[in-house]
Amino acid sequence: MGRTEDPDRVGRAQTYAGGPRLIANVGARLVRFALETAPGRFEQAQSFASADYPGIAEVCRAYLGTIAGPIPIHGVMALATPIEGDEVRLTNRDWRFSIEATRAELGLQTLLAVNDFMAMAMALPRLNAEHRRQIGGGNVSADGVIGLLGASSGLGISALIPRGGRWITLSSEGGHAAFSPANETEVTILRHAWKTWDHVSCERLISASGLVLIHEALSLAGDGAGVVAKTPSADEIIRLGKEGRDPLCVRVLECFCEMLGTQAANLAVTLNATGGVYVGSTIVRDLGDFLPRSGFRRAFERKGRFSAFAASVPTYMILTDQCSLLGAAQVLRNHLDDQAGSGVLLDRIRAEMGKLSPAERRVASLVLEQPRTVLNEPVAEIAAKADVSQPTVIRFCRSLGLQGLSDFKLKLASGLTGAVPVQRSQVRVDDNAGELVSKVLDNTSSAITRLRDELDSRAVDRAIELLANARRIELYGVGNSSVAALDGQHKFFRFSIPSNAYIDSHIQLMAAGMLGKGDVVVAISKSGNLPEILQAADAALEAGAGVIAITAAGSPLARRASVALEVNHQEQDAGYVSMVSRILHLLLIDILAVGVAMRRISVAGEGLGKADVDRELMSLQTRFEALISHAS
């Protein structure tokens, strides 16, 4: 596994078939944009002042309005803030936005958001001699872990871990670990910091504000004789120290570089970073030639019994300010490769590529590069995008053993649903109608996909067996759960099974006491903790009836039931009606109803007509196709 890419090879890389990709590095002061037209090839780079725009969508539209050529359909943003879910708030800029809503507003098929420091880490294997400078000795170990420190307004720490031919980033808050002094001067600096803070982290000293703090400490300790009393800014300390005109500022930079070297060595030992340790970000670039001449490497190798190990680990100074763009592009590339590589149908297309005609191969290439576009476009648009005739599109589908384009799209949607999970998006008070529609539907689609993946098929089979042989079916639900109970009564009654839904807790308890062996209760409860439902379930079990629970995993109702169909879904706000849970409960009733229909029609002598079953199956299939198509 190599550490850098040949720039000549990158320059010859094939242009992306799906068009250029939007890459953005969003900072507090500037937003840098570029289009990646091939792996590692960036064009039309521009920077925009963040203060000139009210939000992220506006600055993105401003850039997109200036570009020449095709508009990108895939994009990624590296942001100077933690990324936790769909809602993003910039740390040093009053911007707040939803990733999914922004994707829809910009008309993109894909929009990813990644922390800028993690993006910076992803760029490390792609850096060449122009992007980095080795400080001291040491040799890279192939497939070794790579460490990263970035000193600017704070101290970022991350790492790259090789796995399966790729790199995965290690998210870390290591900059907040306690600072440990390595010499008497650093003890003096730490004592000065202790006057203000009980806990002094590494970030407190190895950062822009740390430069100022070190200057204050050394000045008070007597190193600042003859120097102006006013403490200069971090930028001024770096400038004066590099010029060599201010002895105290020179001393501050020396202390800072040694602290950085010690922390880099700590990271190397902690991670066994035989792939090297990189230091970067604003301060490192501003230090320039001062860092290699300083005591950085001496401090790095001063590791006691592990000095020999530290001496074998190479250290690099990052020279480019484009790391976040490079790394963000790699994150997007990995995501799209994973998306294109997922799904049984897409795997079949790759396997059959050599057997297709040249025209059919153009359709196949379009599907592999833009599966979502193909899923949503009519046959005429697909043919135009692939530069083939409409009959060729149909022949392509049939070459895969499918009946036609509709059958192909259904299989494609099913595969993409598993490969491209939909994120849950928090609904906000200030969402417009479009954002509201998108978030509610996406949250429901995501929950359905999760239910499909987590549902215990053996429990479903046992529940169907109980219902298919039931003498009588009763469905209990209270409040929001009563909707699913009433829906179940309607479905099972059509199978000529005596069925009743009770939505009053008192009647449920009385009805349960009149049941007997061969009867089945379907008890529906989101929480599984409602005392009235639990009493009715106990009464039914005591009377000899079976109880099927549609409820939360591990709940009291699930533990009591003969069979538990567990639904693991937490609503976003307990104050709202359980909207998504209700949909999941209805879908489970549909699954049970179709299962009972198929079980009963297969039994010899059963009087249920096949036409009735076909109508039920068609209704269920239509609902699922609509939901799956949206999710993908």
Side-chain angles (χ1 to χ4, degrees), residues 465 468 595-608 613:
E465 184 69 24
V596 170
M598 301 307 296
R599 189 71 55 90
R600 289 170 67 85
I601 202 172
S602 67
V603 176
E606 182 62 54
L608 184 64
V613 178

Side-chain angles (χ1 to χ4, degrees), residues 57 128 159 202 308-309 386 441 467 573 594:
N128 56 34
C202 296
F309 168 79
L441 291 178
L467 293 168
D573 191 329
V594 172

